[in-house]
Amino acid sequence: MDFGAIARERLPELLRAMPKAELHIHIEGSLEPELIFELARKNGVALAYPGVEALRAAYAFTDLQSFLDIYYAGASVLLHESDFEAMAMAYFRRAAADNVVRAELFFDPQTHTARGVAMADVIRGLASACERAQRELGVSSALILCFLRHLSEEEALQTLHDALPYREHFIGVGLDSSERGHPPEKFARVFAEAKRLGLHRVAHAGEEGPPAYITSALDVLKVERIDHGVRCLEDPALVRRLAAERVPLTVCPLSNIKLCVYPEMAGHGLPALLAAGLCATINSDDPAYFGGYMNANFLAAFAALPQLGAAEAYALARNSFEASFVDASARAAMTVRLDQVFARFA
Ligand code: HPA
Ligand code: ZN
């Protein structure tokens, strides 16, 4: 492919048009304020904000925890199976508009079961949206059950146990919520149990936590992808290992700016990760809270980082297919679609 033949002015159009996989999206983080208030009214849930504008105005975060406090408050309006389905369908429509062809969705069952919502309602609602996404929008998808790391491993084990009747509806487990002070080692047993059950494994590591958390996520939890992972750049030996083992990193540019992981996009580590040969991908994390969905993340990163051009756009989309948990034939089909779009631009 002659990437040099693609003019820089056409990059935004190319970024929007190219097929891509989203591998780091917390579905509860796709709840837009309008839907939060609609569900709050319908379900009779009281919110601490008078309206949509006041809620949006509160989206000024200083770190991960300041975001999580509002994120869990927003999720409190989800009560019924149909609420989970509506939330995920709204996400899938936006994903399809951004030419996302595959989405692997995180969900946080403990955020809901702690409020008395049944595990069945959470998983059935999300699974039915996944089926509709394929049928109505042509978007392939899967669910990844995340454990909240600020809670105990016993609670994580109980959550996995409670979800097993719905095993067919999720493909893996993840680890999210407050990272600092909650190292991967805390969840060694539940991840071993997930591996024994044939589930995929991923974990947030190296967002706010140190590079050592990335190493222990790989060595202790046996994860197949690292979510965020940008702090690996502080440890050159770790960067070499991640490159050699092709461990995917699901990087979230707008999230990193909103949560002050980087002070500004111009200083983001994404170009360094790609230059080091890592399997880095671009994702939206919590798009309703961080200022945009997939294409907004691509456009913001490429606008601020002149090191990123057509070759990097191609690498990022290819990496997203390589890192996804689809089978080889689906991966090949997505890559063919990618090549077709690039051929139109070259
Ligand atoms: N980091 C950790 N936990 C989360 C995030 C995140 O970016 N989003 C939702 N839960
Ligand atoms: Zn995340």
Side-chain angles (χ1 to χ4, degrees):
M1 188 97 52
D2 181 10
F3 295 114
I6 301 177
R8 199 155 180 97
E9 305 85 74
R10 296 196 71 199
L11 256 183
E13 193 192 340
L14 174 63
L15 293 169
R16 287 191 197 96
M18 69 178 188
K20 49 190 77 77
E22 169 140 67
L23 308 175
H24 185 158
I25 158 82
H26 302 265
I27 197 58
E28 294 90 346
S30 75
L31 257 186
E32 293 286 345
E34 289 76 8
L35 186 52
I36 290 178
F37 277 92
E38 188 186 317
L39 293 175
R41 256 190 313 275
K42 174 176 88 72
N43 291 338
V45 176
L47 292 169
Y49 301 88
V52 164
E53 290 317 314
L55 179 56
R56 264 219 178 84
Y59 292 178
F61 312 116
T62 51
D63 59 7
L64 176 57
Q65 193 60 51
S66 64
F67 154 70
L68 290 171
D69 294 341
I70 288 191
Y71 163 82
Y72 294 130
S76 71
V77 302
L78 298 160
L79 291 188
H80 308 293
E81 183 177 323
S82 62
D83 302 339
F84 291 90
E85 181 176 346
M87 168 175 68
M89 280 312 295
Y91 163 73
F92 282 127
R93 285 187 202 101
R94 289 175 180 264
D98 282 359
N99 289 306
V100 170
V101 295
R102 165 79 181 173
E104 298 179 6
L105 277 52
F106 296 148
F107 69 108
D108 289 339
Q110 289 161 292
T111 299
H112 314 299
T113 53
R115 298 180 288 110
V117 177
M119 182 69 83
D121 290 338
V122 178
I123 298 186
R124 288 207 185 110
L126 296 176
S128 111
C130 288
E131 280 165 32
R132 285 181 61 193
Q134 183 68 66
R135 211 170 48 239
E136 298 173 18
L137 302 164
V139 176
S140 154
S141 65
L143 298 172
I144 296 177
L145 182 159
C146 285
F147 305 116
L148 299 180
R149 70 202 298 160
H150 66 276
L151 301 178
S152 71
E153 187 180 42
E154 280 64 36
E155 288 164 291
L157 282 161
Q158 185 66 49
T159 300
L160 180 57
H161 176 265
D162 294 345
L164 284 184
Y166 316 99
R167 166 71 183 82
E168 75 205 83
H169 295 305
F170 59 99
I171 61 162
V173 299
L175 189 62
D176 64 5
S177 186
S178 323
E179 186 181 3
R180 274 192 290 226
H182 301 285
E185 293 89 316
K186 183 177 160 187
F187 296 93
R189 287 181 305 156
V190 70
F191 271 68
E193 177 64 4
K195 185 167 193 287
R196 198 185 63 75
L197 291 164
L199 288 158
H200 288 292
R201 296 153 320 278
V202 300
H204 284 54
E207 177 188 19
E208 283 193 344
Y213 283 17
I214 299 173
T215 303
S216 56
L218 292 171
D219 293 341
V220 181
L221 304 186
K222 313 278 187 217
V223 301
E224 298 153 90
R225 297 196 296 245
I226 296 288
D227 296 313
H228 293 295
V230 290
R231 286 195 60 193
C232 72
L233 288 166
E234 296 166 29
D235 180 347
L238 177 58
V239 170
R240 284 194 294 276
R241 175 185 177 183
L242 295 170
E245 296 178 12
R246 291 243 7 116
V247 176
L249 299 192
T250 61
V251 176
C252 307
L254 286 173
S255 166
N256 291 157
I257 304 311
K258 273 288 198 181
L259 301 188
C260 308
V261 171
Y262 290 100
E264 54 179 17
M265 195 65 88
H268 197 284
L270 182 62
L273 296 171
L274 289 171
L278 269 73
C279 183
T281 63
I282 283 187
N283 306 270
S284 73
D285 206 4
D286 300 282
Y289 293 90
F290 297 154
Y293 290 75
M294 278 293 263
N295 285 357
N297 273 274
F298 273 94
L299 291 167
F302 278 70
L305 297 159
Q307 309 95 312
L308 302 180
E312 287 73 22
Y314 186 83
L316 286 160
R318 269 212 66 146
N319 289 348
S320 75
F321 302 148
E322 177 185 337
S324 78
F325 294 132
V326 296
D327 63 27
S329 71
R331 182 172 296 114
M334 295 191 296
T335 308
V336 167
R337 289 173 69 175
L338 177 65
D339 287 345
Q340 286 168 345
V341 170
F342 268 75
R344 278 204 338 251
F345 282 78

